[in-house]
Amino acid sequence: MVDLEFWGDLAQKAFVNGFPSTNWANRMVEPWKGLPFGPNLHAVRPQRLRTLTGPVEAPQDSLWSRLQFFAAAEPVRHTEDQLDSALFAKLPIDVRLLIYEEVLGNMVFHLEARNNGTQIVKEICCRPDLIDEPIHQCHISNPRKSPSFSGNGNQHSSSLLPLLLTCRRVYSEVIPILYGTNVFEFRQGKGAFYFLRLMLPPQRLANIRHFRLHMRLPHHPHINSRSRRDWETMLMFFTTEMPALNKLYLRLLTNYITETQITETDDVDGAEWTKPIMRMVVDVQRNRRCHVKFVTPGVSGGVAHDCIGIFKETAKTTGLSPQERLIELASIALHERIRVSIEGPT
Ligand SMILES: [Zn+2]
């Protein structure tokens, strides 16, 4: 097994203690202490959502901030029946829901954190059919300059906010559709958990059914205690905090250091970091039929691992039934597949 302790807690302490300037040494080791998304994942969720600031005619990319503002008022604002409106008086709810879904559902949102991670902006995918391609470039380069999108019916993206602002009853009917029928995709773990944990109110987090995350690992997820904590909490988050999640795409992006640490770890020891993945995939599949696509680096840009298939195969070949032992053996098999996919053909 590769000596992860070289990068671990004791090595960090020794490094910091060995320098006259403790502050400088602490700054040097800080990136190694945990995973990039850790601070957002473990931050205390705000009790009161911050209110909307800025002009009323805020740009298109402020959508999430405005929704955050509206959500803060949801439990206290009274919703009028609006029965003088033909929309509510003449159309039944199931027809209205179909209309709402047609207008602002079934899209893929590429989301990104800006302004030092405190603002989430979106681009709407023009090629959702190519979403699994290793290099996926589909959208216009600068959505701030052009809030209108072209291609594949995405022209309705610019109508997201006006429909939501029609009236409070429309808002309350539409908002679960917005979160429940669209795909939310992040290419940064840090921004993703700012959005999921600190920006979205719990009732909206509970609406999301399809989430995609491309996660960069600057080092091995079990390199030290804080990284291990971040890694395991992140996987548990999908199990416990997103009850409607029905499809999860999780892609790991690694550098040379991480890949070396993974491939030089034997599979039995390596199962310590694949076990939380296996446990999460089995739990969400059993509890709510959530399908997880887990991708690691490999030939042609990435290798998707069939975790449920590995789990079932392990159960079949060993004849074991205790869940924990099965998870452990399946995690060893998963580590082997990840290691081999990174090493490539010999
Ligand atoms: Zn796209």
Side-chain angles (χ1 to χ4, degrees), residues 231-257:
W231 176 249
E232 293 175 4
T233 307
M234 181 270 292
L235 291 162
M236 187 58 77
F237 185 91
F238 294 121
T239 309
T240 59
E241 306 279 324
M242 300 179 74
L245 196 62
N246 181 252
K247 276 189 182 176
L248 172 65
Y249 177 95
L250 182 60
R251 182 191 195 97
L252 300 187
L253 304 171
T254 51
N255 56 22
Y256 176 76
I257 294 171

Side-chain angles (χ1 to χ4, degrees), residues 30-207:
E30 185 61 30
W32 297 94
K33 282 185 176 174
L35 295 169
F37 54 85
N40 287 340
L41 187 60
H42 292 281
V44 177
R45 204 190 291 273
Q47 290 295 309
R48 288 169 61 95
L49 295 167
R50 65 189 170 85
T51 54
L52 177 67
T53 55
V56 174
E57 298 80 14
Q60 170 80 5
D61 61 22
S62 71
L63 174 67
W64 308 110
S65 297
R66 301 187 79 168
L67 293 179
Q68 184 186 27
F69 170 70
F70 300 142
E74 280 178 31
V76 293
R77 292 278 179 86
H78 175 66
T79 303
E80 300 291 342
D81 288 340
Q82 303 278 6
L83 291 179
D84 52 339
S85 158
L87 178 72
F88 298 113
K90 298 195 172 175
L91 292 181
I93 180 66
D94 49 346
V95 174
R96 293 201 300 275
L97 293 179
L98 286 173
I99 293 171
Y100 301 147
E101 187 169 340
E102 185 63 28
V103 174
L104 49 64
N106 304 313
M107 291 179 278
V108 176
F109 297 151
H110 296 299
L111 298 155
E112 184 187 342
R114 291 192 189 154
N115 288 350
N116 207 19
T118 58
Q119 184 188 23
I120 303 296
V121 298
K122 79 171 191 314
E123 291 172 341
I124 295 182
C125 186
C126 296
R127 294 303 307 268
D129 52 318
L130 300 179
I131 192 75
D132 282 341
E133 300 257 304
I135 299 174
H136 175 80
Q137 289 183 323
C138 64
H139 37 269
I140 58 174
S141 58
N142 191 341
R144 287 164 177 250
K145 289 183 180 171
S146 175
S148 301
F149 298 81
S150 59
N152 289 353
N154 281 327
Q155 65 278 6
H156 59 242
S157 66
S158 58
S159 64
L160 281 178
L161 204 50
L163 177 61
L164 285 160
L165 294 179
T166 306
C167 73
R168 182 146 287 279
R169 184 167 177 192
V170 166
Y171 169 85
S172 63
E173 291 183 353
V174 164
I175 199 75
I177 303 249
L178 177 70
Y179 287 99
T181 65
N182 291 303
V183 179
F184 293 77
E185 185 190 67
F186 276 89
R187 288 178 181 257
Q188 321 146 297
K190 193 174 175 181
F193 286 100
Y194 177 79
F195 179 71
L196 294 175
R197 173 128 187 92
L198 299 178
M199 197 167 187
L200 278 189
Q203 69 270 32
R204 297 298 150 241
L205 183 61
N207 290 142

